Amino acid sequence: MARVPERYRPFLVQHRKLVKFLLVGGTCFVLTTVVDLGLKFTVLQHKPVVALTVATVIATLVSYVLNRQWSFRANGRQREAILFFVVSALAVAVNDLPLIFSRYVLDLREPDVTAVTQEVADFLSGMIVGTFLAMIFRFWAMNRWVFTRTRPHPSPEDLEPERV
């Protein structure tokens, strides 16, 4: 926090859970994108929804650890893990729906469109729209049902750098 300009600190402290959640989400978005593209252009060339689902599941496992330990600072419980994975399974479906709609309802796939148009449509629908909708759902559901018992956060005074 010492490196953050003074005028932004109150906002970051007030919304620290959301900021941490978004940082974890950004990290997992990059991971999902890399895994999805890796799978789409190798072993799952003709199965874009499966590639996105596998990539999202991998990122979800990373997200669980990071959110539990850092974003929500939750005390561990078995019930928490079960709820996390139920919410995450629903979020994977939310994430896949725009891609399914784009590919199979709007028919934005070869041979009806060019390969470039197909890949742009896949990225926008699956990675951008799908991830955005799933992120909103996850944050709401995690706060509401999963990470309800959290460890206390440091006060704003605790975040100030020590003066010597």
Side-chain angles (χ1 to χ4, degrees), residues 46-64:
H46 303 292
K47 298 185 181 283
V49 176
V50 174
L52 180 60
T53 301
V54 169
T56 305
V57 168
I58 291 168
T60 296
L61 296 171
V62 172
S63 171
Y64 174 70

Side-chain angles (χ1 to χ4, degrees), residues 126-157:
M127 292 304 301
I128 303 298
V129 175
T131 300
F132 180 73
L133 294 173
M135 177 190 64
I136 291 168
F137 172 75
R138 275 188 183 106
F139 184 75
W140 172 76
M142 295 298 173
N143 248 343
R144 174 117 180 145
W145 291 305
V146 181
F147 298 115
T148 56
R149 252 183 44 205
T150 59
R151 295 188 300 251
H153 284 282
S155 68
E157 295 80 30

Side-chain angles (χ1 to χ4, degrees), residues 17-53:
K17 189 185 294 186
L18 177 61
V19 171
K20 288 178 177 183
F21 179 81
L22 292 174
L23 287 171
V24 169
T27 301
C28 290
F29 176 80
V30 170
L31 176 62
T32 303
T33 302
V34 169
V35 172
D36 179 49
L37 292 175
L39 292 172
K40 271 182 69 174
F41 293 119
T42 58
V43 296
L44 294 173
Q45 280 182 314
H46 303 292
K47 298 185 181 283
V49 176
V50 174
L52 180 60
T53 301

Side-chain angles (χ1 to χ4, degrees), residues 29 95 98-99 102 108 117-132:
F29 176 80
N95 202 115
L99 177 58
S102 172
L108 295 175
T117 301
Q118 172 184 287
E119 294 309 319
V120 168
D122 284 358
F123 183 78
L124 290 175
S125 62
M127 292 304 301
I128 303 298
V129 175
T131 300
F132 180 73

